[in-house]
Amino acid sequence: MHGEYKMPGGKLIVVDLAIESGCLARVQVSGDFFLEPDDALHAIDAALEGQDAGADEHMLAAAIRAQLAPGVMMYGISPEAVAVAVRRAIDQGTEA
Amino acid sequence: MTRTLWRDHDWHLIHTDPQSPALHMALDEVLTHEVGAGRRPPTLRIWEWGGPAVVIGRFQSLRNEVDGDAARRHGIEVVRRVSGGGAMFIEPGNTITYSIYAPLSLIKGMSFQEAYAWMDAWTLEALGELGIKAWYQPLNDITSEGGKIAGAAQAHRGGAVLHHVTMAYDIDATKMLQVLRIGREKLSDKGTQSAAKRVDPLRSQTGLARAAIIDHMIATFRRLHGLGDGSLRADELAQAGMLAQEKFSSTAWTADVP
């Protein structure tokens, strides 16, 4: 399933995922945003993996925030914007 | 670490013969590292492209961004760079690309937005001298009344910042749209439905040859910030050559975000 969200004043956030037994699986966040250091992307993917497919945007954003190491810098992307893209993938996602 | 000014540094220029896309990716990694380690003076590198390429951003999905079959059909090399940002479609002679490798002190205390504009203030001045009224459109675009001219990206490594920019000199929009997948969501707040129409290249805006624009940009940088002639060290080139082969030509890296 595939969802996209252009963060207002930011960049495009793309989410590809599957749902297995009601949970998010094989989550891949991508896009033309900026992250320092670059391995923060894996932390974001890992934070979303296994989350309940019924989780709302607030819960998803909190899960991402909790997983990010101190000092991670985000430009054109935020935990909230990723959460919107995840919800879009779940709610209106088509099979990629 | 206190903030430094452009003139506090001894800037060197690297402008060599055309090199392969993978080698360019590797040179950005190696030279950023060398400046961060204090083994190389802060450097401006002007790129010459040895072949056509699609360069995707560090965090972009390969399959979402690139039509791999179309790229192969056109003989276009697909590479992933070390910085974030969006995909670029490159044909030799159609873009002006440069990298600035600077100590982090040059952008100390700046927001991302300030740092992008700061690193390209000389470019805006050079364009103004060529009759183009250009400005920074946050987050990372250089634009003009006619449309977008360039995109920038930064990455921090060790004690250095890499700031690189690709400017459109000329563009084969038809081919670009065959190779890049540009979705509607991306254009949703750009006020246009057409990716091709977003770009207004330097050739049509200036009527100048690409080399003349590059010469003028180098002269502007030299006047504003000081710039001596430099070259790649043999060990830098050897290290970049190895990285180009083992990392930047590998599927593991290019498809790191599949």
Side-chain angles (χ1 to χ4, degrees):
Chain A
M1 302 163 87
H2 180 89
E4 300 188 356
Y5 177 58
K6 171 72 173 66
M7 178 178 156
K11 308 303 289 185
L12 183 71
I13 295 153
V14 181
V15 173
D16 291 277
L17 54 76
I19 294 178
E20 290 172 358
S21 309
C23 294
L24 308 187
R26 302 196 298 279
V27 182
Q28 177 184 286
V29 176
S30 65
D32 60 351
F33 46 78
F34 299 87
L35 278 176
E36 297 283 353
D38 62 354
D39 59 8
L41 184 67
H42 294 297
I44 293 172
D45 289 345
L48 292 166
E49 196 75 22
Q51 292 290 324
D52 193 305
D56 63 19
E57 286 172 17
H58 179 77
M59 295 159 72
L60 293 167
I64 294 167
R65 212 173 274 288
Q67 188 84 17
L68 288 176
V72 168
M73 293 187 290
M74 309 182 108
Y75 190 44
I77 176 178
S78 68
E80 289 71 24
V82 175
V84 172
V86 171
R87 279 310 327 168
R88 285 189 176 184
I90 297 168
D91 295 335
Q92 354 162 3
T94 48
E95 292 300 324
Chain B
M1 178 175 71
T2 52
R3 168 87 65 87
T4 53
L5 298 171
W6 289 91
R7 283 280 178 180
D8 293 333
H9 300 288
D10 178 23
W11 292 93
H12 281 222
L13 172 69
I14 294 176
H15 189 187
T16 69
D17 290 338
Q19 290 160 319
S20 73
L23 186 59
H24 280 304
M25 303 301 113
L27 282 168
D28 267 357
E29 178 165 322
V30 169
L31 298 182
T32 305
H33 188 76
E34 289 299 300
V35 169
R39 285 190 294 265
R40 147 168 293 284
T43 299
L44 168 68
R45 181 170 76 95
I46 311 281
W47 302 29
E48 297 296 341
W49 292 92
V54 166
V55 182
I56 60 173
R58 175 68 187 89
F59 307 110
Q60 289 190 298
S61 155
L62 178 62
R63 63 165 180 265
N64 285 343
E65 295 300 325
V66 184
D67 184 330
D69 289 338
R72 268 186 295 279
R73 200 165 61 241
H74 289 296
I76 295 168
E77 188 175 342
V78 180
V79 290
R80 181 185 297 277
R81 64 176 181 269
V82 296
S83 65
M88 308 175 320
F89 171 63
I90 309 282
E91 292 185 287
N94 272 8
T95 65
I96 296 174
T97 305
Y98 61 84
S99 296
I100 298 171
Y101 314 93
L104 270 176
S105 57
L106 191 65
I107 55 167
K108 163 86 177 155
M110 290 185 188
S111 67
F112 278 98
Q113 191 169 321
E114 290 167 331
Y116 276 73
W118 181 251
M119 297 302 284
D120 283 329
W122 67 281
T123 301
L124 298 189
E125 176 137 347
L127 291 173
E129 289 159 359
L130 295 174
I132 300 174
K133 190 176 166 237
W135 62 91
Y136 234 86
Q137 180 171 302
L139 306 179
N140 59 321
D141 285 351
I142 295 173
T143 196
S144 70
E145 273 155 16
K148 175 174 167 174
I149 291 175
Q154 288 185 5
H156 299 180
R157 291 287 182 283
V161 55
L162 160 66
H163 178 93
H164 48 194
V165 174
T166 287
M167 315 173 80
Y169 173 69
D170 201 354
I171 196 161
D172 183 342
T174 306
K175 200 187 281 185
M176 177 180 80
L177 292 175
Q178 284 173 10
V179 177
L180 295 185
R181 305 186 203 272
I182 301 174
R184 220 177 297 162
E185 178 71 14
K186 166 141 191 170
L187 302 171
S188 62
D189 75 344
K190 299 281 189 188
T192 170
Q193 293 301 307
S194 160
K197 282 184 187 152
R198 286 180 57 207
V199 177
D200 191 20
L202 292 171
R203 182 180 189 173
S204 58
Q205 293 214 46
T206 64
L208 294 172
R210 176 178 172 278
I213 296 175
I214 291 174
D215 286 347
H216 181 78
M217 290 180 64
I218 290 171
T220 301
F221 190 106
R222 184 168 279 139
R223 190 184 76 236
L224 293 175
H225 304 321
L227 185 65
D229 289 331
S231 57
L232 287 168
R233 299 195 317 259
D235 63 306
E236 289 172 333
L237 191 56
Q239 199 189 345
M242 198 175 69
L243 268 179
Q245 204 167 8
E246 291 179 2
K247 176 177 176 179
F248 291 100
S249 299
S250 74
T251 306
W253 171 257
T254 306
D256 179 55
V257 184

